[in-house]
């Protein structure tokens, strides 16, 4: 292995020692486990990726020539115009697996505009691709980073665009030259940044093979532990890659397995908010903002800053909250304990990749955020907008003194429901699952990968329009309304030994106001409700095949005598969770409680739709959950 004296990163290495035979053997077992976990794709699929990218490169050159022809450019200019594609993300880093997307940047000379890309590139793809090779092409020109998503020969491709302020784009062009950034608009600069960051990461690690092995392991671990999602408040793919790269710099000659073991201890004990840097932050030719907490107050608020190495330097983890930081540190500590035992021969690598316990053993109390729409297209945009705001809700929940941790799950659950009338629709949009379509499987937002949802979730909703329409279908000769919902879950961990009641009515109302205050919100099309859910009331579709829903504990409570004539008071034992956008109404609570007591047991967990009848204003639904030592929880509605 290489023993170069070059200093990698901003500090000297911790150790430059060569790996031992034992460490090499442990590395072999790690690679074998990654293969068992289906983390590598076969050679045939890799070859198909290469062939597909070569064809997209040819299409790019023809696209530029076509646009130049339409603009009556001289033939000599057309012949020299060129055009080039660059990959970035997991494919460029070399850590892709079966079914992974290929993030692709289309770079063209200055006379080709973004409008040309969306007008002419899709027809060129259809024309030059083999018959039937292109499936599911979707354009999102108004996204934060405008994109064309398609499936090409069975491979998911994400195409973004950048027009450089140069007369031609030769095949030898390298985007590392910062002078190429002059004259770029914000969208072009964002598009180019992905490739530039990825290339810098690869240049800044001592051994790319070692880096890739370690990164595959860390990505798989983070995904299994549900801590992989930039929008929600966890590190995304680039951030995890930079963290692994930093540990590689500190152990330049280590094996991938050693890097994984050191990763958990070094990153877990990092002196946050000290930033993670792969190189010294550089200035450049633009008037662009570069991350600098001494100059920008917002940068000082970053809790776990991980800074991109390409100019202009940015924080890739500005979405992390105190709650998600707490979860990350716990998971890093757990990972460190497991890898220590792996190196001692007490555990195996498969133990590191065990699935999260967010639903099975994570929390007693959850908040369910239910975004709903009357059409599928509208739901993609609306649910993306709501997802983009979940982090703000978590930030506000943290400010409630009785909450220790508010942990968002890193994906939403998409469900489809068939309703016969408005009463059933009202029940569904407030969380009732009795009308869920039995022939349509619940899917998570990350598995669907809808481009409009992704664009809205990543901050592009303000530039998007809300599709109109409703979905009315006929089932067995009966007209039914199809309602689409996406539910996001937040696990609530309370401060230990707290005797305080928990009222989050203000935080809930503020979150709802932010979402429904979106300029394209349509009250006739979209809705948003939040309800409290106990762990034993979680729906079955959030659990895996071998997972069990938590059961309700039955407690034996001795009866206490009360003085004759004394008014009985409710004893609140653990928590009073108020999910509301209105004040507490004792009259409504009393009616709701009586209504619940009369219900059969199987309906007590979905009472909110039955209580609509006593609500004075259905658009100001007030839902409260009270945990009593002597009674069932009661759902109260205003």
């Amino acid at each position: 292995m290489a023993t170069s004296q070059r200093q990698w990163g901003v500090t000297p290495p911790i150790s430059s020692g060569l790996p031992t035979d034992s460490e090499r053997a442990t590395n072999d077992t790690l690679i074998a486990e990654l293969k068992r976990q289906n983390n590598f794709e076969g050679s045939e699929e890799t070859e198909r990726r290469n062939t597909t990218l070569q064809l997209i490169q040819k299409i790019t050159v023809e696209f530029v020539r076509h646009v130049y022809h339409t603009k009556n450019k001289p033939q000599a200019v057309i012949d020299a115009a060129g055009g080039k594609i660059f990959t970035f993300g997991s494919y460029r880093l070399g850590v892709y697996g079966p079914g992974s997307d290929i993030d692709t940047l289309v770079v063209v000379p200055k006379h080709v505009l973004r409008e040309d890309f969306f007008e002419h590139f899709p027809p060129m793809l259809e024309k030059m691709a083999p018959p039937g090779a292109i499936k599911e092409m979707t354009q999102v020109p108004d996204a934060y980073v405008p994109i064309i998503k398609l499936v090409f020969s069975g491979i998911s491709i994400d195409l973004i665009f950048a027009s450089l302020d140069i007369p031609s784009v030769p095949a030898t062009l390298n985007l590392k030259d910062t002078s190429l950034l002059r004259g770029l608009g914000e969208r072009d600069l964002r598009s180019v940044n992905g490739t530039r960051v990825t290339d810098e990461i690869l240049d800044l690690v001592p051994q790319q093979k070692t880096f890739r092995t370690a990164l595959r392991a860390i990505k798989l671990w983070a995904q299994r532990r549900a801590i992989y999602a930039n929008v929600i408040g966890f590190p995304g793919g680039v951030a995890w890659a930079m963290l692994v790269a930093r540990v590689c710099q500190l152990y330049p000659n280590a094996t991938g397995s050693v890097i994984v073991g050191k990763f958990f201890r070094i990153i877990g004990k990092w002196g946050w908010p000290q930033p993670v840097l792969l190189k010294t932050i550089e200035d450049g030719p633009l008037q662009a903002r570069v991350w600098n907490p001494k100059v920008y107050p917002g940068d000082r608020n970053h809790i776990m800053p991980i800074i991109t190495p390409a100019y202009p330097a940015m924080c890739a983890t500005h979405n992390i909250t105190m709650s998600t930081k707490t979860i990350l540190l716990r998971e890093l500590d757990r990972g460190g304990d497991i890898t220590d035992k792996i190196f001692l021969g007490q555990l195996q690598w498969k133990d590191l990749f065990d699935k999260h316990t967010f639903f099975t053993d994570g929390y007693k109390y959850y908040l369910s955020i239910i975004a709903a729409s009357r059409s599928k297209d509208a739901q993609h945009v609306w649910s993306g907008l709501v997802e983009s705001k979940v982090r703000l809700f978590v930030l506000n929940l943290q400010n409630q003194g009785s909450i220790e941790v508010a942990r968002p799950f890193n994906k939403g659950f998409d469900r489809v429901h068939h309703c016969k009338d408005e009463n059933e629709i009202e029940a569904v949009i407030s969380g009732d699952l009795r009308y869920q379509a039995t022939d349509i499987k619940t899917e998570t937002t990350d598995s669907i990968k809808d481009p409009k949802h992704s664009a809205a979730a990543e901050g592009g909703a303000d530039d998007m329009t809300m599709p109109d329409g409703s979905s009315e279908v006929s089932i067995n000769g009966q007209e039914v309304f199809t309602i689409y919902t996406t539910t996001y879950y937040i696990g609530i961990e309370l401060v230990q030994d707290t005797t305080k009641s928990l009222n989050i009515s203000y935080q809930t109302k503020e979150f709802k106001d932010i979402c429904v205050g979106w300029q394209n919100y349509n009250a006739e099309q979209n809705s948003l409700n939040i309800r409290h859910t106990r762990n034993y009331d979680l729906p079955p579709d959030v659990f895996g095949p071998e997972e069990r829903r938590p059961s309700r504990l039955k407690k034996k409570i001795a009866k206490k005598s009360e003085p004759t004539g004394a008014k009985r008071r409710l004893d609140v034992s653990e928590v009073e969770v108020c999910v509301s956008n209105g004040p507490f109404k004792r009259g409504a609570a009393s009616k709701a409680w009586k209504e619940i007591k009369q219900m059969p047991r199987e309906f007590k967990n979905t009472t909110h739709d039955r209580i609509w009848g006593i609500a004075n204003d259905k658009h100001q639904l007030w839902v409260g959950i009270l945990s009593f030592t002597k009674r069932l929880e009661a759902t109260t509605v205003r």
Side-chain angles (χ1 to χ4, degrees):
M1 292 186 177
T3 57
S4 171
Q5 297 301 311
R6 170 183 170 180
Q7 176 176 307
W8 299 92
V10 295
T11 62
I14 294 175
S15 172
S16 296
L18 297 176
T20 65
D21 291 341
S22 174
E23 290 170 345
R24 289 193 179 95
T26 306
N27 190 66
D28 291 340
T29 60
L30 172 59
I31 294 173
E33 180 60 33
L34 290 173
K35 290 179 179 178
R36 278 194 291 268
Q37 298 277 353
N38 197 31
N39 201 258
F40 295 86
E41 71 175 12
S43 57
E44 290 185 4
E45 187 173 354
T46 298
E47 181 60 32
R48 187 150 42 91
R49 288 179 185 271
N50 294 334
T51 301
T52 299
L53 289 173
Q54 290 171 9
L55 181 53
I56 293 177
Q57 171 61 40
K58 293 180 181 178
I59 294 172
T60 297
V61 173
E62 288 302 313
F63 157 69
V64 173
R65 292 176 62 87
H66 173 75
V67 172
Y68 270 38
H69 272 296
T70 63
K71 297 185 177 183
N72 298 318
K73 298 297 179 183
Q75 189 60 45
V77 174
I78 294 174
D79 293 339
K84 186 177 180 179
I85 64 169
F86 296 83
T87 58
F88 59 101
S90 62
Y91 181 81
R92 178 70 181 96
L93 289 172
V95 293
Y96 56 93
S100 294
D101 298 344
I102 302 181
D103 297 312
T104 308
L105 170 66
V106 176
V107 176
V108 298
K110 60 182 179 181
H111 296 297
V112 182
L113 307 179
R114 189 174 306 279
E115 293 78 9
D116 299 322
F117 177 64
F118 284 98
E119 179 181 354
H120 299 290
F121 203 87
M124 296 289 290
L125 282 168
E126 296 278 7
K127 178 181 177 182
M128 296 183 65
I134 294 182
K135 308 286 187 182
E136 305 173 17
M137 188 187 305
T138 304
Q139 302 180 45
V140 193
D142 45 5
Y144 184 70
V145 177
I147 190 171
I148 297 175
K149 297 180 75 76
L150 69 150
V151 177
F152 195 122
S153 297
I155 301 168
S156 295
I157 308 286
D158 290 352
L159 294 172
I160 62 175
F161 170 91
S163 178
L164 303 183
D165 190 21
I166 54 179
S168 65
V169 175
T172 57
L173 182 73
N174 189 323
L175 294 178
K176 295 178 183 179
D177 183 1
T178 57
S179 66
L180 294 173
L181 305 180
R182 290 193 177 96
L184 296 188
E186 288 188 8
R187 286 185 169 180
D188 285 326
L189 188 60
R190 287 195 293 266
S191 296
V192 171
N193 194 51
T195 297
R196 286 171 46 78
V197 168
T198 304
D199 288 348
E200 283 275 13
I201 291 173
L202 290 175
D203 286 345
L204 291 168
V205 294
Q207 301 178 76
Q208 291 186 8
K209 183 178 180 180
T210 297
F211 165 72
R212 286 168 173 150
T213 299
L215 181 55
R216 281 182 180 275
I218 294 302
K219 283 187 63 175
L220 179 60
W221 162 79
Q223 290 164 346
R224 292 285 173 82
R225 303 305 296 174
I227 52 174
Y228 190 105
N230 179 54
V231 173
I232 292 294
F234 293 106
V238 172
W240 286 117
M242 289 189 288
L243 289 176
V244 173
R246 184 67 187 113
V247 179
C248 288
Q249 292 178 336
L250 296 173
Y251 296 88
N253 296 317
T255 64
S257 59
V258 170
I259 297 298
V260 172
K262 300 296 184 183
F263 175 90
F264 293 111
R265 296 310 186 194
I266 290 177
I267 304 304
K269 302 298 183 183
W270 194 266
W272 308 108
Q274 177 184 340
V276 173
L277 300 171
L278 297 183
K279 59 185 286 189
T280 303
I281 295 176
E282 299 175 346
D283 292 326
L286 308 180
Q287 296 297 318
R289 173 172 170 168
V290 176
W291 189 83
N292 189 339
K294 295 180 180 180
V295 175
Y296 303 109
D299 293 349
R300 291 196 289 271
N301 295 329
H302 295 159
I303 297 172
M304 300 178 75
I306 303 171
I307 309 306
T308 57
Y311 172 83
M314 304 176 186
C315 179
T317 47
H318 62 277
N319 282 344
I320 289 180
T321 66
M322 288 303 298
S323 283
T324 53
K325 176 188 176 184
T326 298
I327 297 301
L328 285 166
L329 294 180
R330 289 178 184 174
E331 289 292 346
L332 288 165
D333 189 55
R334 170 190 174 273
D337 290 343
I338 291 174
T339 51
D340 287 348
K341 293 180 179 179
I342 290 173
F343 279 93
L344 292 172
Q346 298 173 358
L347 289 176
Q348 299 178 347
W349 284 110
K350 66 178 182 179
D351 298 309
L352 179 65
F353 305 126
D354 282 347
K355 186 180 176 182
H356 64 85
T357 57
F358 180 85
F359 294 111
T360 56
D361 192 33
Y363 304 90
K364 291 174 63 178
Y365 309 102
Y366 297 83
L367 295 179
S368 302
I369 303 170
I370 305 143
S373 299
R374 295 184 182 237
S375 78
K376 188 174 183 179
D377 289 340
Q379 180 63 7
H380 288 320
V381 178
W382 174 235
S383 63
L385 181 279
V386 172
E387 181 176 318
S388 72
K389 307 301 181 186
V390 168
R391 184 183 67 90
L392 301 180
F393 191 25
V394 171
L395 284 170
N396 280 335
L397 290 172
Q398 291 173 171
N399 296 328
Q400 219 291 345
S402 298
I403 294 180
E404 182 75 26
V405 171
R407 176 183 177 176
F409 192 59
N410 65 337
K411 60 194 75 172
F413 290 80
D414 283 348
R415 301 182 176 100
V416 180
H417 314 260
H418 294 318
C419 305
K420 297 190 297 290
D421 53 40
E422 287 295 325
N423 289 331
E424 292 185 359
I425 291 175
E426 295 291 358
V428 165
I429 65 178
S430 53
D432 195 329
L433 299 182
R434 285 182 292 167
Y435 310 107
Q436 185 175 356
T438 57
D439 58 335
I440 302 176
K441 183 181 177 181
T442 299
E443 295 186 276
T444 53
T445 50
D446 66 321
S447 64
I448 295 175
K449 297 181 180 179
D450 180 79
K452 292 184 178 179
H453 171 91
S454 300
E458 292 168 5
D462 287 344
D463 297 324
M464 303 175 72
T465 57
M466 176 62 69
D468 294 326
S470 61
S471 298
E472 186 174 351
V473 298
S474 178
I475 298 179
N476 296 327
Q478 183 178 16
E479 295 297 321
V480 298
F481 298 93
T482 302
I483 303 299
Y484 301 87
T485 64
T486 304
T487 304
Y488 299 93
Y489 294 94
I490 299 177
I492 300 296
E493 183 178 320
L494 301 174
V495 175
Q496 290 186 356
D497 302 323
T498 182
T499 57
K500 297 180 181 179
S501 63
L502 177 62
N503 188 322
I504 56 172
S505 57
Y506 171 78
Q507 290 87 349
T508 303
K509 183 179 186 302
E510 184 173 43
F511 172 66
K512 292 186 70 172
D513 287 346
I514 290 172
C515 293
V516 302
W518 176 45
Q519 60 189 10
N520 293 320
Y521 172 73
N522 183 347
E524 296 181 356
Q525 179 72 255
N526 318 116
S527 69
L528 178 63
N529 281 289
I530 305 167
R531 60 176 296 189
H532 169 271
T533 305
R534 285 296 300 267
N535 56 355
Y536 50 75
D537 287 332
L538 288 166
D541 55 11
V542 303
F543 300 97
E546 299 180 0
E547 294 177 329
R548 291 186 178 182
R549 177 165 53 185
S551 58
R552 182 173 187 170
L553 298 177
K554 295 182 179 180
K555 296 182 180 180
K556 294 182 179 179
I557 303 174
K559 294 184 178 180
K560 295 182 180 180
S561 59
E562 296 182 0
T564 304
K567 185 175 180 180
R568 182 180 178 280
R569 298 182 61 185
L570 292 172
D571 179 20
V572 181
S573 62
E574 293 176 333
V575 63
E576 175 185 298
V577 180
C578 299
V579 182
S580 66
N581 58 2
F584 181 72
K585 293 282 189 176
R586 290 186 181 274
S590 176
K591 292 179 182 178
W593 176 239
K594 292 177 181 178
E595 185 86 357
I596 291 168
K597 288 196 297 183
Q598 296 172 3
M599 285 183 172
R601 179 178 299 274
E602 61 267 29
F603 293 118
K604 287 179 180 177
N605 293 335
T606 55
T607 57
H608 54 276
D609 55 310
R610 289 286 305 274
I611 308 304
W612 280 103
I614 65 170
N616 294 325
D617 184 350
K618 68 181 181 181
H619 295 297
Q620 291 185 340
L621 174 64
W622 190 89
V623 181
I625 302 293
L626 303 176
S627 291
F628 302 129
T629 56
K630 298 181 179 179
R631 308 305 297 264
L632 294 169
E633 283 99 304
T635 302
T636 308
V637 182
R638 180 189 176 205

